């Protein structure tokens, strides 16, 4: 009797072992992540995407390439995360790179790369730039995005300059080859992330309103933006404004539309016009 029980136990154990060996492996990869996009920073790119819905997804792998596709553009893995955001820092401003993300599950299966073509070009930015009224402090009224410095309002390198007529704060562009427009209210400077297709001010000036973002198209085909953070009417000193800014150092970047020829010529706007 005892021998029979031992034979039965051995048979059951053998069947169990056979089941373990023939259990199917998980060979199904997750779906490619959706909703992938980037936000441009200063020497930094912020990547975001939607979380996968599969219950066994363990995380995401991030890839970078020098161009969009093809054998000359392999995507190299640069990091991984269990979340749905990833920050890449230490980048060179003005250099474009392409990005993709893939999901992987607990069995090690990896999805296709995200299908969106996402590229980004980091650019310099700054906080609390300050300009004074060009009528009372002409040497402190102009801003040069490329050099990140204050210049005289009529300096050849000035991209925009500030003026106050006693009731309205305004920002001007100095010549017919530079454009400006009000992009509306936004809580952060990052709310404006692309050059518009139109809507440029026909007068070359905009009224400054706290919290509004503004876009500038420079004479040498660069995209810039700023957000007004405060203005001071004067009293203890000349009228002044303060703003945060960003400037795309890559001329002709794919994120910028081509600059058409102008009919007005390249002359400086006359002082009578800006007053």
């Amino acid at each position: 009797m005892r021998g029979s029980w031992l034979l039965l136990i051995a048979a059951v154990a053998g069947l169990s072992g056979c089941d373990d060996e023939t259990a199917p492996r998980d060979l199904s990869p997750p779906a490619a992540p959706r909703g992938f996009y980037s936000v441009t920073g200063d020497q930094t790119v912020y990547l975001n995407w939607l979380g996968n819905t599969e219950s066994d997804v363990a995380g995401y792998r991030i890839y970078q390439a020098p161009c969009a596709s093809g054998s000359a553009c392999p995507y190299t893995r640069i990091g991984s995360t269990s979340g749905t955001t990833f920050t890449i820092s230490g980048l060179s401003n003005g250099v474009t790179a392409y990005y993709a993300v893939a999901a992987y599950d607990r069995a090690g299966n990896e999805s296709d790369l995200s299908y969106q073509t996402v590229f980004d070009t980091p650019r310099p930015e700054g906080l609390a730039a300050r300009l004074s009224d060009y009528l009372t402090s002409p040497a402190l009224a102009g801003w040069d995005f490329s050099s990140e410095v204050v210049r005289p309002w009529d300096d050849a390198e000035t991209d925009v300059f500030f003026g106050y007529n006693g009731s309205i704060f305004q920002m001007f562009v100095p010549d017919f080859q530079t454009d400006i427009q009000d992009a509306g209210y936004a809580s952060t400077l990052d709310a404006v992330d692309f050059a518009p297709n139109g809507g440029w001010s026909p007068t070359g000036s905009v009224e400054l309103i706290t919290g509004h973002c503004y876009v500038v198209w420079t004479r040498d085909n660069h995209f810039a933006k700023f957000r007004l953070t405060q203005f001071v009417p004067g009293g203890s000193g000349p009228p002044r404004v303060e703003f945060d800014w960003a400037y795309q150092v890559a001329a002709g970047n794919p994120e910028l539309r081509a600059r058409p020829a102008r009919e007005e010529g390249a002359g400086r706007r006359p002082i009578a016009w800006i007053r």
Side-chain angles (χ1 to χ4, degrees), residues 198-257:
W200 304 105
S201 168
T203 62
S205 65
V206 291
E207 180 179 357
L208 293 175
I209 302 171
T210 302
H212 276 222
C213 289
Y214 301 85
V215 182
V216 178
W217 195 4
T218 68
R219 65 184 70 83
D220 55 354
N221 195 21
H222 288 263
F223 167 58
K225 59 184 178 179
F226 65 94
R227 178 177 179 271
L228 188 71
T229 54
Q230 68 170 324
F231 56 86
V232 181
S236 60
R240 60 187 186 275
V241 291
E242 198 168 278
F243 56 91
D244 301 334
W245 61 272
Y247 173 74
Q248 181 52 263
V249 299
N253 187 286
E255 294 171 296
L256 303 174
R257 66 187 178 92

Side-chain angles (χ1 to χ4, degrees), residues 100-192:
V101 61
Y104 65 93
D105 61 23
R106 289 190 290 270
N109 301 305
E110 182 170 315
S111 74
D112 291 338
L113 296 180
S114 48
Y115 300 126
Q116 295 92 342
T117 299
V118 173
F119 60 91
D120 215 304
T121 310
R123 77 290 181 275
E125 62 185 19
L127 303 174
R130 180 176 292 183
L131 298 179
S132 296
D133 176 22
Y134 83 95
L135 294 173
T136 58
S137 303
L140 302 175
W143 181 255
D144 177 356
F145 285 106
S146 61
S147 298
E148 307 174 22
V149 296
V150 175
R151 295 186 182 276
W153 77 269
D154 57 352
D155 189 283
E157 299 301 317
T158 290
D159 294 311
V160 295
F161 64 95
F162 164 62
Y164 179 58
N165 66 6
S167 61
I168 298 176
F169 291 84
Q170 292 177 283
M171 195 73 84
F172 302 92
V173 294
D175 55 55
F176 290 115
Q177 290 297 304
T178 305
D179 282 313
I180 191 169
Q181 71 169 273
D182 186 344
Y185 177 81
S187 58
T188 69
L189 182 65
D190 287 333
V192 176

Side-chain angles (χ1 to χ4, degrees), residues 39-62:
V39 175
T40 308
D42 186 352
Q43 297 184 308
T44 304
V45 169
Y46 305 94
L47 303 177
N48 305 265
W49 59 92
L50 298 175
N52 279 48
T53 58
E54 296 92 340
S55 61
D56 64 340
V57 167
Y60 303 88
R61 294 174 179 139
I62 292 83

